[in-house]
Amino acid sequence: MSATGKMGRVVRGFRYSKTSDKAAIQYHYDVSNEFYKLWLDDKMVYSCAYYETGEEDLSPAQTKKIDRILTKIPLCWGALAIRAVQ
């Protein structure tokens, strides 16, 4: 089979519908907060953390990640800066 034919099979396998999307969203998100509390930090941040030394616990590493992001983007004005301060 040609590369084009293989790619067509892959693309057809990723067709979406509202029904399949709804089922996927429910499977992923319709779980209790108790589940997420098992493995997220106290703020329930749902993304990677930044372990600067490797000695940090999850919660400080999540705060370091957020702080690192804020140092890299120019928050000089407006609603974005106000929200970051909050």
Side-chain angles (χ1 to χ4, degrees), residues 16-50:
Y16 297 101
S17 70
K18 287 184 179 182
T19 302
S20 66
D21 287 352
K22 180 180 178 181
I25 291 166
Q26 286 177 327
Y27 176 81
H28 187 78
Y29 289 103
D30 286 358
V31 294
S32 70
N33 282 348
E34 296 306 312
F35 168 73
Y36 289 106
K37 286 178 184 177
L38 292 172
W39 52 278
L40 295 177
D41 71 322
D42 58 330
K43 294 181 185 87
M44 305 229 341
V45 177
Y46 191 63
S47 67
C48 64
Y50 178 63

